[in-house]
């Protein structure tokens, strides 16, 4: 499988390292989710355990607690950039970040659209974490 590269406005080229999808309300067997359910889901959002400790950001549009119900699927997208951030001594090889958002359907969603929607007003240099390979 070829890695898709997404060119970002500040010169970073983002490569998708991983995607994971899970159902938002897997633990609710019957009935509609409550505000408490949404708060519990929001508070438990984190990078998937098999990706180890990585910095993440949430799509605030996806997890607006004023909404009665989140979209049915949570998507985790692990991104890497070919450039480090805030690295004047050039000590790092690249930067990375995990984006967490929600989608309506797993059939025809676009990872690129999800990433662009979350990152359109996002400062990669402020939030991404530097890494060495």
């Amino acid at each position: 499988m070829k890695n898709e590269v997404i060119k970002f406005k500040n010169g970073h080229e983002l490569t998708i390292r991983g995607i994971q999808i899970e159902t938002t309300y897997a633990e609710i067997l019957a009935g509609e989710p409550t505000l408490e359910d949404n708060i519990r889901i929001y508070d438990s959002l984190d990078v998937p355990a098999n990706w180890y400790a990585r910095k993440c950001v949430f799509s605030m549009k996806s997890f607006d607690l004023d909404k009665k119900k989140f979209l049915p699927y949570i998507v985790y997208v692990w991104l890497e950039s070919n450039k480090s951030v805030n690295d004047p001594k050039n000590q790092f090889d690249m930067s990375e970040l995990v984006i967490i958002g929600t989608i309506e359907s797993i059939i025809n969603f676009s990872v690129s659209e999800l990433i662009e929607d979350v990152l359109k007003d996002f400062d990669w240099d402020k939030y991404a974490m530097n890494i060495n390979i």
Side-chain angles (χ1 to χ4, degrees), residues 99-117:
I99 295 175
I100 305 173
T102 57
I103 57 173
E104 182 67 43
S105 169
I106 59 174
I107 304 298
N108 56 3
F109 86 100
S110 165
V111 174
S112 296
E113 285 178 20
L114 175 70
I115 292 167
E116 289 169 12
D117 185 50

Side-chain angles (χ1 to χ4, degrees), residues 3-6 8 12-18 54 77-84 93-98 115 124 128-129 131-133:
N3 286 339
E4 183 163 340
V5 174
I6 299 163
F8 202 44
H12 289 278
E13 291 183 357
L14 305 180
T15 303
I16 299 169
R17 280 290 309 267
R54 306 218 178 280
V77 182
W78 176 7
L79 298 168
E80 278 184 350
S81 171
N82 59 336
K83 293 179 14 180
S84 58
D93 298 316
M94 51 191 2
S95 54
E96 69 176 6
L97 191 62
V98 174
I115 292 167
W124 180 270
M129 187 171 93
I131 59 171
N132 284 318
I133 51 172

Side-chain angles (χ1 to χ4, degrees), residues 33-68:
T34 64
L35 176 61
E36 290 79 18
D37 293 322
N38 286 345
I39 291 170
R40 180 183 46 75
I41 289 167
Y42 181 82
D43 286 345
S44 68
L45 288 171
D46 201 0
V47 175
N50 59 330
W51 291 356
Y52 307 105
R54 306 218 178 280
K55 194 169 182 181
C56 65
V57 295
F58 307 141
S59 163
M60 296 314 290
K61 184 172 89 175
S62 290
F63 300 105
D64 181 354
L65 290 173
D66 289 335
K67 292 181 180 177
K68 190 169 187 152

